[in-house]
Amino acid sequence: MGILSRFYPDEYMDSTYALDYQKYFDKGYRGILFDIDNTLVPHGAPSERKAEELFDRLRKIGFKTCLISNNKEPRVRPFAELVKSDYIYNAHKPSGKNYVKAMEIMETDSNNSLFVGDQIFTDVYGAKRAHMHTILVKPIHPKEEIQIVLKRYLEKIVLWFYLRSSNGRQP
């Protein structure tokens, strides 16, 4: 395992909406943490029906959810209210502290919680620091803020090594 492996997700998928959530529930997972921007909706977009239907389906399966975002509360709270989820704003990802707080809110732990997000250096790395199962998804939309665009170049390097590693699987 190289130094980059600390950034490797446990899984890499095309979309948040393509995951088989029942499979994860059957494996014993009970809580899911989600990033919002480019994971559930395009960057800065309000909630969409597709996101609301996903969270309804997750509740019916038996999952608890928590949104974890580095955005400020005026961005996160309205989205969380529409999808009816707990949330943490200004999370300071990749710090693992608020991932742990989210699991406490959901009354879960790192053994039965998973994280879904679109960025390696904030989302995945933070969840790995909290010892969670991590699922990296491809960004929904290419339009992003400049600091994210710059990180994407570095992410491509990490993904190249990840996909060449024994556990790297392209969807």
Side-chain angles (χ1 to χ4, degrees):
M1 285 286 223
I3 193 163
L4 292 180
S5 64
R6 73 181 70 188
F7 300 108
Y8 291 175
D10 294 306
E11 298 179 61
Y12 179 40
M13 304 296 288
D14 278 330
S15 167
T16 301
Y17 298 98
L19 295 171
D20 181 352
Y21 291 100
Q22 184 64 55
K23 176 184 84 172
Y24 293 105
F25 191 84
D26 293 346
K27 287 183 176 182
Y29 290 101
R30 295 298 180 260
I32 307 175
L33 283 73
F34 288 97
D35 177 51
I36 298 173
D37 287 320
N38 259 341
T39 298
L40 292 166
V41 293
H43 190 83
S47 177
E48 298 173 348
R49 179 174 289 292
K50 182 165 61 168
E52 294 164 29
E53 290 171 353
L54 171 63
F55 279 75
D56 285 343
R57 192 168 83 243
L58 293 173
R59 276 188 294 280
K60 286 178 183 150
I61 291 171
F63 280 110
K64 292 183 179 179
T65 60
C66 189
L67 303 172
I68 180 167
S69 175
N70 284 346
N71 277 303
K72 293 180 170 66
E73 190 172 21
R75 164 69 176 131
V76 180
R77 183 177 30 84
F79 191 96
E81 288 172 351
L82 285 170
V83 298
K84 301 178 182 78
S85 178
D86 288 316
Y87 66 94
I88 295 174
Y89 65 94
N90 198 21
H92 301 288
K93 297 182 288 185
S95 169
K97 182 178 79 166
N98 281 311
Y99 291 83
V100 172
K101 181 179 175 184
M103 289 184 278
E104 289 170 358
I105 289 169
M106 295 186 303
E107 299 177 332
T108 61
D109 60 39
S110 61
N111 296 311
N112 65 0
S113 298
L114 56 97
F115 175 83
V116 180
D118 71 297
Q119 291 189 53
I120 289 175
F121 298 120
T122 51
D123 296 335
V124 170
Y125 183 49
K128 289 185 76 76
R129 293 175 80 190
H131 309 288
M132 298 180 67
H133 184 83
T134 59
I135 302 171
L136 177 69
V137 295
K138 293 179 180 176
I140 290 175
H141 195 274
K143 183 182 177 291
E144 297 180 297
E145 296 173 351
I146 187 65
Q147 70 271 19
I148 296 172
V149 171
L150 297 174
K151 281 193 286 185
R152 294 286 186 207
Y153 287 111
L154 296 173
E155 286 183 349
K156 286 180 182 179
I157 295 166
V158 174
L159 278 173
W160 186 84
F161 283 102
Y162 167 74
L163 293 171
R164 288 181 53 104
S165 74
S166 59
N167 67 329
R169 297 183 303 279
Q170 178 82 25

